[in-house]
Amino acid sequence: MEFTPFQMERWQSTWEHRVDYNLSESGVHPLTVGELLAFGGPAAELSSVRLGYSQSNGTDELRALIASLHPGATDRSVVVTIGGAEANFVAFWELALAGRPAAVMLPNYMQIPGLIRNFRAGSMPFHLREEDGWRPDLDQLESALSDGAGFILVTNPNNPTGVALTAGEMDDIVSLADRHGAWILSDEVYRGAELGTDPVPSFWGRYDKVLVTNSLSKAYGLPGTRLGWVVGPEDVVERLWARTDYTTIAPPSVSDALARIALSPDVRPRILERTRRIIRQNLGLLTEWIESGNGLFTFTPPDAGAITMVRYHADIPSLELAERLRVQQSLLIVPGAHFGIESTMRLGFGPPADELLAGLGRLREGFAARLPRATLTA
């Protein structure tokens, strides 16, 4: 079977620790273990955590904490996974069994679209229209469902744009799914990292055929825990748990313990407030930078998350741009080609403010130098 690499993750994992400035990351500056434990207070300590196999679907306490964030869910509605990546993988593995193609929101985090290609599962796109502020083309979605799509893939808030669906758009998607008997797979990893005052709503509770994935990586600033989850109907979640027996068996016991601290009622609001403070401050810095560019850059401000899709008005392919910036400016961005959209780049604005400004300065220098076609060296 032919294999299609995950371009964006290969790009990031190869270079993100080998550049001076990384604006490819899609979360906020991570917490340290000490900072998380300080949020938890004296009761939060790890010395008694036994380094054996943890409960393989997540401890009862952790699954209950996750369920409490989803009205109507129970601990049996939750399976804990190794990051959002495994959550998405086992959810896809379950839904693709129907032998029907998927209706895929584009642009999107390209893990599941890549899995669809690798497993020859088939897909039909429905696009977010940049000219409309990244609003969904629901006529395309209806056509895909009419042509037999078995599940709908959404990332909400969206990656790479940071734009969230409105409640009305979500209701329309649910209505279309219900009419055609389709499932909804909703990656909601940026919920909780809102730039506005109102929370982005979940697809959970709007429809009975919904699987919601999430993790501690983005809104919580804890990507190193590699801790994610799926919330769904209990019988389906039981099957997802069985699938993890073939992948990672169990989440790390230390990560489960850290997650119980992070999602506890006293700590979770403080972590999310930290995240929102970072992204609200930094979006202001990014917006000022874009507006000072004399029309070289344009973007639709995001609703959530520390990412946005920036269009640049210069004649250079995005893959070439990204490589030149990496080599000549020691700066990492995500080229728009990884999402199928040329003349764009995904910028992460979650680093400390001084690092963000320095990275944006390098980006400006790269364009000011007109990125000469010098020989590139690694």
CSV table of all heavy atoms in Angstrom, one decimal, residues 138 165-174 201 206:
chain,number,residue,atom,x,y,z
A,138,LEU,N,-22.1,25.3,2.6
A,138,LEU,CA,-22.9,24.2,3.0
A,138,LEU,C,-23.6,23.5,1.8
A,138,LEU,O,-24.1,22.4,1.9
A,138,LEU,CB,-24.0,24.7,4.0
A,138,LEU,CG,-23.4,25.2,5.3
A,138,LEU,CD1,-24.5,25.7,6.3
A,138,LEU,CD2,-22.5,24.1,6.0
A,165,LEU,N,-17.1,28.1,13.6
A,165,LEU,CA,-18.5,28.1,13.1
A,165,LEU,C,-19.4,28.8,14.0
A,165,LEU,O,-19.3,28.8,15.2
A,165,LEU,CB,-19.0,26.6,12.9
A,165,LEU,CG,-18.2,25.7,12.0
A,165,LEU,CD1,-18.6,24.3,12.2
A,165,LEU,CD2,-18.4,26.2,10.5
A,166,THR,N,-20.4,29.4,13.4
A,166,THR,CA,-21.5,30.1,14.2
A,166,THR,C,-22.4,29.0,14.7
A,166,THR,O,-22.5,27.8,14.2
A,166,THR,CB,-22.3,31.1,13.4
A,166,THR,OG1,-23.0,30.4,12.4
A,166,THR,CG2,-21.3,32.1,12.8
A,167,ALA,N,-23.2,29.3,15.7
A,167,ALA,CA,-24.2,28.3,16.2
A,167,ALA,C,-25.2,27.9,15.1
A,167,ALA,O,-25.6,26.8,15.0
A,167,ALA,CB,-24.9,28.9,17.4
A,168,GLY,N,-25.5,28.9,14.3
A,168,GLY,CA,-26.4,28.6,13.1
A,168,GLY,C,-25.8,27.7,12.1
A,168,GLY,O,-26.5,26.8,11.6
A,169,GLU,N,-24.6,27.9,11.8
A,169,GLU,CA,-23.9,27.0,10.9
A,169,GLU,C,-23.8,25.6,11.4
A,169,GLU,O,-23.9,24.6,10.7
A,169,GLU,CB,-22.5,27.6,10.6
A,169,GLU,CG,-22.5,28.8,9.7
A,169,GLU,CD,-21.2,29.6,9.6
A,169,GLU,OE1,-20.3,29.3,10.5
A,169,GLU,OE2,-21.0,30.4,8.8
A,170,MET,N,-23.5,25.5,12.7
A,170,MET,CA,-23.5,24.2,13.4
A,170,MET,C,-24.8,23.5,13.3
A,170,MET,O,-24.9,22.3,13.0
A,170,MET,CB,-23.0,24.3,14.8
A,170,MET,CG,-21.6,24.8,15.0
A,170,MET,SD,-21.1,25.1,16.7
A,170,MET,CE,-21.0,23.5,17.3
A,171,ASP,N,-25.9,24.2,13.5
A,171,ASP,CA,-27.2,23.7,13.4
A,171,ASP,C,-27.5,23.2,12.0
A,171,ASP,O,-28.1,22.1,11.8
A,171,ASP,CB,-28.3,24.7,13.8
A,171,ASP,CG,-28.3,25.0,15.3
A,171,ASP,OD1,-27.7,24.1,16.1
A,171,ASP,OD2,-28.8,26.0,15.7
A,172,ASP,N,-27.1,23.9,11.0
A,172,ASP,CA,-27.3,23.5,9.6
A,172,ASP,C,-26.5,22.3,9.3
A,172,ASP,O,-27.0,21.4,8.6
A,172,ASP,CB,-26.8,24.7,8.7
A,172,ASP,CG,-27.8,25.9,8.7
A,172,ASP,OD1,-28.9,25.7,9.1
A,172,ASP,OD2,-27.3,27.0,8.3
A,173,ILE,N,-25.3,22.1,9.8
A,173,ILE,CA,-24.5,20.9,9.6
A,173,ILE,C,-25.2,19.7,10.2
A,173,ILE,O,-25.3,18.6,9.7
A,173,ILE,CB,-23.1,21.1,10.1
A,173,ILE,CG1,-22.3,22.1,9.2
A,173,ILE,CG2,-22.3,19.8,10.2
A,173,ILE,CD1,-21.0,22.6,9.7
A,174,VAL,N,-25.7,19.9,11.5
A,174,VAL,CA,-26.4,18.8,12.1
A,174,VAL,C,-27.6,18.4,11.4
A,174,VAL,O,-27.9,17.2,11.2
A,174,VAL,CB,-26.7,19.3,13.6
A,174,VAL,CG1,-27.8,18.3,14.2
A,174,VAL,CG2,-25.5,19.3,14.5
A,201,PRO,N,-19.2,27.0,21.0
A,201,PRO,CA,-20.1,25.8,21.3
A,201,PRO,C,-19.5,24.5,20.8
A,201,PRO,O,-18.7,24.5,19.8
A,201,PRO,CB,-21.4,26.1,20.7
A,201,PRO,CG,-21.2,27.1,19.7
A,201,PRO,CD,-20.0,27.9,20.1
A,206,ARG,N,-25.8,18.2,20.4
A,206,ARG,CA,-26.6,18.7,19.3
A,206,ARG,C,-27.2,17.5,18.5
A,206,ARG,O,-28.1,17.8,17.7
A,206,ARG,CB,-25.8,19.6,18.4
A,206,ARG,CG,-25.4,20.9,19.1
A,206,ARG,CD,-24.5,21.8,18.2
A,206,ARG,NE,-24.2,23.0,18.9
A,206,ARG,CZ,-24.9,24.2,18.7
A,206,ARG,NH1,-25.9,24.2,17.8
A,206,ARG,NH2,-24.5,25.3,19.3
